[in-house]
Amino acid sequence: MLSRTGGRPTNQDAYGFWPNHNNCFLALSDGAGGHSGGDYASKLAVKEALEFFQRNPVCSVDSIAGALRAANAAIVEAQRQTPQFAEMHATVVVLAIDSEIGTAIWGHVGDTRLYCFRNQRILLQTRDHSVLQTMVDAGYLPSGEVRGSPQRNLLLAALGGANGFEPCIEATAFAVQDGDVFLLCTDGFWEHVDETQMEQALQSSASQEDWLRRLESLVIAHGGEEQDNYSALAVSCKAHARVI
């Protein structure tokens, strides 16, 4: 995992994970709202999501939905109670992995992404809740132009949003295979690393730490002085022999 300030005065990204004997739950959030609002929103989202998983340690659609609802409700309540937090929001992605039966489920709000790699190739990725993603889906914008667009940060959904709470949750359990890799990352990270570079770096890396270092070098090279906060978590899934 890594989380950096980039060229900003503070880091408004937050992350965390909580494992038990057969599950692992992860959350990554990117806050917005000015002053201390974004920082607080992202930390609150991660805290509430992981605490929900601790109370409900099950890898299921309901658990993902409950964790996202808890995170959203906490931010909405903080907006209501504290005037300085009235405009704060956050994007988030949560991932639950059941290592006993080999399944994973995830959900997200906004443009913090999850990628799944199999055989060092991208098998799937989440779709941003953004204006540009809608244009891509409608055929009005090539997907390769999203990263460089000045409208990239126009979101259609976020935690604490006034237009309601509309998370996207994987509908069915995903069957994890030996060697699968998950990458959770904020927009400050994926903005400067395209999918081909992700795959190439993974193919030439000796470990997940090495992989993230290689990707971070691309972020630093392309980000410049105004680089946004950037954060990423990598999860490698390995099969283990069971002793009976």
Side-chain angles (χ1 to χ4, degrees):
M1 62 191 71
L2 62 85
S3 185
R4 312 289 192 229
T5 303
R8 304 296 171 84
T10 60
N11 190 350
Q12 297 194 353
D13 294 350
Y15 66 89
F17 65 95
W18 179 75
N20 62 11
H21 64 284
N22 63 350
N23 292 300
C24 185
F25 303 97
L26 305 98
L28 176 63
S29 180
D30 181 359
H35 302 293
S36 60
D39 181 19
Y40 183 60
S42 62
K43 287 182 171 61
L44 190 58
V46 170
K47 172 181 176 292
E48 293 295 327
L50 292 182
E51 286 183 355
F52 182 90
F53 285 130
Q54 291 171 26
R55 297 189 301 269
N56 305 272
V58 180
C59 179
S60 69
V61 171
D62 288 343
S63 289
I64 294 291
L68 293 174
R69 283 196 300 267
N72 185 66
I75 290 177
V76 170
E77 180 63 16
Q79 290 172 337
R80 187 184 67 81
Q81 291 188 355
T82 309
Q84 74 183 83
F85 294 151
E87 299 300 322
M88 72 177 184
H89 300 85
T91 65
V92 68
V93 61
V94 294
L95 170 65
I97 302 175
D98 187 323
S99 59
E100 186 172 19
I101 62 175
T103 59
I105 297 181
W106 54 85
H108 79 289
V109 181
D111 60 356
T112 294
R113 293 182 178 180
L114 176 145
Y115 292 86
C116 179
F117 298 77
R118 178 166 291 170
N119 298 320
Q120 302 176 325
R121 299 286 186 181
I122 293 175
L123 180 65
L124 54 87
Q125 71 181 75
T126 53
R127 293 175 59 258
D128 300 336
H129 297 120
S130 69
V131 171
L132 291 184
Q133 183 63 60
T134 300
M135 294 174 65
V136 170
D137 293 344
Y140 293 119
L141 182 73
S143 60
E145 294 184 13
V146 169
R147 284 178 167 84
S149 173
Q151 296 180 311
R152 183 180 57 78
N153 293 322
L154 296 178
L155 299 181
L156 298 176
L159 297 178
N163 296 325
F165 175 60
E166 299 179 0
C168 182
I169 301 173
E170 184 72 6
T172 58
F174 173 80
V176 177
Q177 294 186 11
D178 181 35
D180 284 355
V181 175
F182 291 97
L183 175 68
L184 287 64
C185 56
T186 59
D187 66 322
F189 188 88
W190 61 255
E191 177 186 8
H192 301 295
V193 184
D194 67 33
E195 285 73 25
T196 299
Q197 291 170 322
M198 292 178 186
E199 293 177 339
Q200 291 173 343
L202 182 58
Q203 293 162 14
S204 58
S205 298
S207 65
Q208 302 315 306
E209 293 82 3
D210 181 33
W211 183 40
L212 288 187
R213 282 194 295 268
R214 290 171 184 262
L215 296 181
E216 183 181 21
S217 68
L218 296 172
V219 175
I220 294 172
H222 299 145
E225 294 182 357
E226 299 299 320
Q227 169 63 44
D228 190 7
N229 308 149
Y230 60 93
S231 302
L233 292 88
V235 184
S236 180
C237 303
K238 300 294 183 182
H240 296 279
R242 297 184 181 275
V243 177
I244 300 177

